[in-house]
Amino acid sequence: MTKSSLLKYIDQGREIEFQYNEKKYSITYGEYKGKDVISFCEFYQESTEVTTADELLSVTRDGVSVLEMWESISEDDVRLF
């Protein structure tokens, strides 16, 4: 998948689930302390909230950024809502 596709989905407000290295992750949206946020987490784990798509791209799990994860997966690994 490409960086531009992820940014497009975020801009559209699409909720995203994807699988990377046999783990499932999600990107959702909400409000935290009065601010609109983008939330990223591994399923059933603690989430990280950021306020911009650029911040989201650099969030890391197990030493790998969201962008690196996204660019290494295929469309078959992604579900959009």
Side-chain angles (χ1 to χ4, degrees):
M1 301 292 293
T2 65
K3 176 181 177 180
S4 63
S5 67
L6 178 56
L7 293 174
K8 179 178 104 179
Y9 296 146
I10 292 168
D11 188 50
Q12 293 172 343
R14 304 286 301 265
E15 298 208 353
I16 304 164
E17 294 179 357
F18 66 93
Q19 187 166 328
Y20 172 78
N21 279 353
E22 300 184 23
K23 294 182 180 180
K24 292 183 179 182
Y25 297 89
S26 68
I27 298 171
T28 59
Y29 310 89
E31 188 176 305
Y32 181 73
K33 296 186 179 183
K35 293 183 180 180
D36 290 334
V37 295
I38 304 167
S39 181
F40 174 74
C41 71
E42 180 183 342
F43 278 29
Y44 308 111
Q45 302 295 319
E46 191 169 330
S47 64
T48 300
E49 282 73 37
V50 296
T51 56
T52 68
D54 286 332
E55 288 177 297
L56 173 68
L57 299 178
S58 63
V59 171
T60 61
R61 291 290 188 279
D62 300 323
V64 180
S65 72
V66 170
L67 179 58
E68 291 169 320
M69 290 180 197
W70 185 258
E71 290 181 328
S72 71
I73 61 175
S74 71
E75 283 187 47
D76 294 337
D77 298 316
V78 179
R79 291 179 53 192
L80 301 171
F81 302 94

